[in-house]
Structure formats: structure tokens, C-alpha cells
Amino acid sequence: MNRIWYRNTTWNEEIENSFFKKLGRVKDKSMRAQYLKLQAGSLAYTKTPALMDVAEKLLNKQLTEYSDVVLFVSSAYGLLGDIQGFKGIYNQAIDLYKKAIDFEATYPNYISPSFMDYAELAIKTKRTDLYDDVEKIFSEKRYDSASSFPFALYKKYSILSIIIKYKKDMEKAKYYADLAEENAQKQETGLNNHQTLGLVTKRDEILDEMVRK
């Protein structure tokens, strides 16, 4: 059994009652919002349908009752997007990632991974109607720090290569493909104390294949 009360990976009436009893004892409102999101994440990533349903309810509670705790709003939308993606409901996942991105346009200090998830899912589901929007999002300065590590740059440049190839600019597509490969092959980040942080440890076979085509 998980000993951390907000990291349960199973759920029943006893666990639910215990969770909300302990949540009610937390005085800080932002911490209550965070614990709801963390518990939702632990359930969502089991990818078990019933537990994902509970996770959705917890996230909706967070977004309804703690909407003013802006630190966790975009990440909650992103997690809801992940859940829809796990369920194979890709258009709804994309819409939820976009909600996170739109929220971050108003609160640029609170960045979640949703911008990359949105771009990746748009590419993998061949939503060509979103390609211009993906390019625009990648050009926004607020996402620079969130895509500075080799793993993120590998995905970003792979996605841009696919988009540009779709637009028939083969020279520029190759340029981005080369940048993606360069970041995939990096063995260190260049950061003094974090030489292996954010390196590509497992390549994305779907993106790789789309880049090669």
C-alpha cells in the first residue's frame, strides 16, 4: 500500500474517506489544490478506466473549488488531456491541452508540458488544421525554457520538420530533422551539475518514422 496519503494508486470508499479527511485538515488552500492534482495524477497514470474516472472527478473538483490557485490550473487541464489521450479520445485531449495553453497566455509564469503534448498529438493524429498553431506556439518565448533540454528539443524539431515537410519546404524540413537528430545524439547537456538531465533515453518511434517519410 502506498504510504503517501495523496499518492494512492488504488481507490475505494475507505481510501476516499481517508483522503478527504486528511485533505480537510490542510490549512493552505494552494496545498489542497496541489494534493488533489497529485492524487489525480497517481490514479490517472494507472491507465485503469475506473481510476481515470476518479482522477477526472478530482481534477474537476480542483478546477471548480480552487480555480483561483493559478499555479495548478494549466497542469490540471493538461492532466485531463492526458486522461482523454489514454482513453483514445484524441480530439478532446487536444482541446484540453489547448485550454492549458490559453490559460498560460494569461499566466505565462505557470507553464505546463501541455504545449508539447498538444503539438505531439496534433502531429500523430495528423491534424493538419493545427499545424500553423503548433508553429506559432513553438515560436512563443514563454516556452523557451520549457523546451531547452535535448529531449524536448528532439521532439520540438522533429515536429517542426514534419510540419515543414507537409508544407513542401524540403530544405528547411531537413534542417529541422538534422537538429532533432543532433539533440537525440547528445550525451551531455553542458550544465555543470546536470550533465545527463533531459537527455534522450528512448526515441519516439512514431515521430522518427514521420520525419523519415
Side-chain angles (χ1 to χ4, degrees):
M1 176 182 254
N2 198 316
R3 294 181 180 276
I4 302 177
W5 65 270
Y6 52 85
R7 292 279 194 183
N8 297 289
T9 54
T10 58
W11 201 254
N12 55 38
E13 185 176 355
E14 181 183 355
I15 293 172
E16 180 177 358
N17 289 338
S18 176
F19 172 78
F20 281 110
K21 185 176 181 179
K22 290 175 180 176
L23 186 70
R25 293 175 183 159
V26 178
K27 295 181 179 181
D28 186 89
K29 190 175 184 180
S30 64
M31 292 302 295
R32 292 199 300 272
Q34 183 180 26
Y35 290 145
L36 279 167
K37 185 180 72 70
L38 290 172
Q39 179 56 79
S42 292
L43 294 173
Y45 283 98
T46 67
K47 300 184 182 180
T48 303
L51 297 181
M52 289 193 290
D53 289 344
V54 175
E56 285 187 90
K57 291 177 182 177
L58 295 176
L59 289 167
N60 286 325
K61 181 178 178 68
Q62 177 205 330
L63 290 168
T64 300
E65 298 181 16
Y66 301 93
S67 60
D68 56 332
V69 183
V70 296
L71 176 59
F72 304 113
V73 170
S74 61
S75 57
Y77 282 130
L79 184 50
L80 284 168
D82 291 344
I83 292 169
Q84 295 305 309
F86 297 151
K87 292 180 177 181
I89 310 173
Y90 299 124
N91 286 339
Q92 286 188 29
I94 285 171
D95 290 344
L96 285 160
Y97 292 143
K98 191 62 164 65
K99 275 191 174 184
I101 292 165
D102 291 344
F103 183 87
E104 290 162 4
T106 303
Y107 297 96
N109 292 326
Y110 303 105
I111 299 300
S112 72
S114 295
F115 77 102
M116 189 67 76
D117 295 328
Y118 172 80
E120 185 177 345
L121 193 53
I123 291 297
K124 290 181 177 178
T125 57
K126 299 182 179 179
R127 284 287 303 273
T128 57
D129 58 306
L130 300 178
Y131 284 8
D132 287 345
D133 194 42
V134 170
E135 281 191 275
K136 177 179 176 294
I137 288 167
F138 278 156
S139 71
E140 294 179 9
K141 294 295 184 184
R142 69 177 184 266
Y143 293 119
D144 284 353
S145 61
S147 57
S148 59
F149 287 105
F151 180 76
L153 290 170
Y154 155 67
K155 285 203 167 187
K156 175 181 175 178
Y157 291 133
S158 294
I159 289 166
L160 285 172
S161 178
I162 294 162
I163 291 173
I164 299 303
K165 188 184 296 183
Y166 173 79
K167 295 183 176 184
K168 308 299 184 185
D169 187 341
M170 307 311 286
E171 183 177 349
K172 192 173 181 182
K174 184 181 182 305
Y175 167 76
Y176 283 126
D178 289 344
L179 285 176
E181 187 62 30
E182 177 184 324
N183 280 280
Q185 296 295 334
K186 282 187 177 178
Q187 299 298 310
E188 58 183 41
T189 62
L191 299 174
N192 290 335
N193 298 319
H194 304 283
Q195 289 291 342
T196 61
L197 182 65
L199 296 179
V200 177
T201 57
K202 184 179 180 181
R203 297 185 66 125
D204 189 309
E205 294 180 5
I206 296 175
L207 286 181
D208 283 352
E209 183 179 355
M210 293 180 78
V211 168
R212 288 193 299 266
K213 280 186 177 178

